Amino acid sequence: MSTPTLPPTFRALRMVKDDAGIRPEFQQLTLSDLGEGDTLVRVQCSSLNYKDGLAVMGRPGVLRRYPIIPGIDLAGEVVSSDSAEYRPGDGVILTGWGSGEKVDGGYSELARVPAASLVPLPPGTDAVWAMSVGTAGFTAMLAVMALEEGGVSPTGGEVLVTGAAGGVGSTAVRLLAKAGFSVTASTGRPEESDYLRGLGASEVIGRGDLTPNRPLEKERWAGVVDTVGGQTLAAAVAATRTHGVVAACGNAGGAELHTTVFPFILRGVTLAGIDSNTCPVPRRRAAWDRLARDLPASALAGVTQRRPLSDVPALAAQILAGQVRGRTVIDVAPEPASPS
């Protein structure tokens, strides 16, 4: 792979593990520090997701090796590639495929990745837009597509979004409202009610309003995008209407699911799992192309904040504490030097 002249070192946030424990460190790395891959990308932006918070805070079960660069998303420009798919200067996006978990991720000014893990940046968009969408928005779009493919339509009744103030939830609310659905947003943060109504929710309910009491509750939801899991998901399934679809994509509220078969065999409810990590490339491209159409930068400005790479350790603690609303774009590219 032919590589243009690059600075001898570049900045990255790296997770290290030693006798003192697991911690993040900002380091100056060389290309030899990066893992395998046929494409070198100059990273312009990454993003902050709940899983990134877990990784940077050293929580167990996320990172598979050390040292490793976290950051499950990245967007930037191809520097060089051995693949005929990409040329220098092409804008690309990477989400999933173990990035920032099994292999080095996006919190680095340079990344070496397989071309097969990339998708082209849609025409008319940029890296900031891509990371204001990020894994959260991509996951939300996959969930919306699952509802639509399962036959849920705007005329079929209410749809529910749980964990609605988070990154996946807030994007799902906006996408569903834009598509004409009547959206009920569930959140554990009642102070976010105005924010969620501004995204298009017609009703906002509390997390406590979703408590499973019986195997089958009164039919209410034509479709559900659940980002919470646990008893919230169980309650949503129990109240889903006949032939409704529940798209499950998170477990912030617990990984266990205590329910019965009755919603599935008596009402024909579909429980659709959303896996954004290993989603096939054709479906990835379809989702990103639709996101470019349905979620322009202007629609994201009010729900997105931009922060420098140096803020990631503090932001990691905040997102785990439920203190981050909407989307956070991480500016990875170094700031231009001030003129002397």
Side-chain angles (χ1 to χ4, degrees):
M1 180 166 57
S2 175
T3 303
T5 302
L6 294 168
T9 65
F10 56 92
R11 188 184 188 215
L13 176 63
R14 217 177 190 194
M15 297 300 297
V16 298
K17 183 178 182 181
D18 55 26
D19 291 342
I22 301 171
R23 66 186 184 281
E25 281 188 358
F26 288 99
Q27 299 181 354
Q28 291 294 126
L29 304 181
T30 67
L31 289 179
S32 63
D33 293 311
L34 295 176
E36 297 180 356
D38 58 14
T39 302
L40 187 66
V41 177
R42 180 178 286 107
V43 181
Q44 296 167 324
C45 299
S46 185
S47 70
L48 178 76
N49 300 280
Y50 191 82
K51 189 177 288 185
D52 296 315
L54 292 171
V56 175
M57 294 300 291
R59 299 290 176 85
V62 179
L63 300 178
R64 307 302 175 86
R65 65 173 178 84
Y66 299 92
I68 189 171
I69 299 167
I72 64 174
D73 297 339
L74 67 84
E77 291 185 350
V78 171
V79 176
S80 59
S81 180
D82 289 341
S83 169
E85 185 80 14
Y86 297 104
R87 296 179 298 176
D90 285 349
V92 290
I93 305 167
L94 188 152
T95 62
W97 301 117
S99 175
E101 301 174 71
K102 298 179 181 178
V103 297
D104 287 332
Y107 293 161
S108 171
E109 293 173 4
L110 290 172
R112 184 182 285 127
V113 302
S117 67
L118 300 169
V119 296
L121 195 66
T125 65
D126 60 17
V128 175
W129 170 84
M131 292 296 94
S132 63
V133 176
T135 283
F138 174 59
T139 302
M141 178 54 80
L142 292 177
V144 171
M145 291 166 63
L147 263 58
E148 293 174 341
E149 291 162 1
V152 181
S153 71
T155 59
E158 291 178 273
V159 292
L160 171 70
V161 177
T162 70
V168 178
S170 60
T171 308
V173 169
R174 183 177 288 279
L175 288 170
L176 288 164
K178 186 179 189 305
F181 288 88
S182 174
V183 183
T184 295
S186 166
T187 179
R189 293 181 268 171
E191 68 275 12
E192 302 290 11
S193 293
D194 290 344
Y195 164 72
L196 293 169
R197 291 184 186 280
L199 295 179
S202 56
E203 183 178 358
V204 179
I205 63 176
R207 182 184 301 154
D209 294 328
L210 295 173
T211 302
N213 296 309
R214 296 174 296 179
L216 289 174
E217 300 286 356
K218 180 179 179 181
E219 296 185 47
R220 181 171 182 182
W221 316 117
V224 178
V225 175
D226 175 66
T227 75
V228 178
Q231 72 168 10
T232 296
L233 175 56
V237 167
T240 297
R241 297 169 62 167
T242 299
H243 299 147
V245 178
V246 179
C249 56
N251 64 345
E256 294 186 358
L257 178 58
H258 298 287
T259 185
T260 71
V261 300
F262 294 137
F264 310 113
I265 65 173
L266 298 181
R267 291 181 179 169
V269 171
T270 296
L271 180 59
I274 305 301
D275 171 26
S276 62
N277 188 40
T278 61
C279 176
V281 170
R283 190 166 180 82
R284 283 179 184 270
R285 293 194 178 204
W288 279 104
D289 287 345
R290 183 165 167 190
L291 282 161
R293 184 193 75 194
D294 292 354
L295 204 62
S298 58
L300 292 166
V303 298
T304 303
Q305 60 170 329
R306 293 178 65 177
R307 302 285 288 273
L309 183 61
S310 56
D311 284 359
V312 166
L315 289 167
Q318 292 172 21
I319 197 169
L320 296 190
Q323 298 169 351
V324 174
R325 182 176 76 179
R327 295 291 297 144
T328 301
V329 173
I330 304 300
D331 289 318
V332 176
E335 295 182 5
S338 301
S340 55

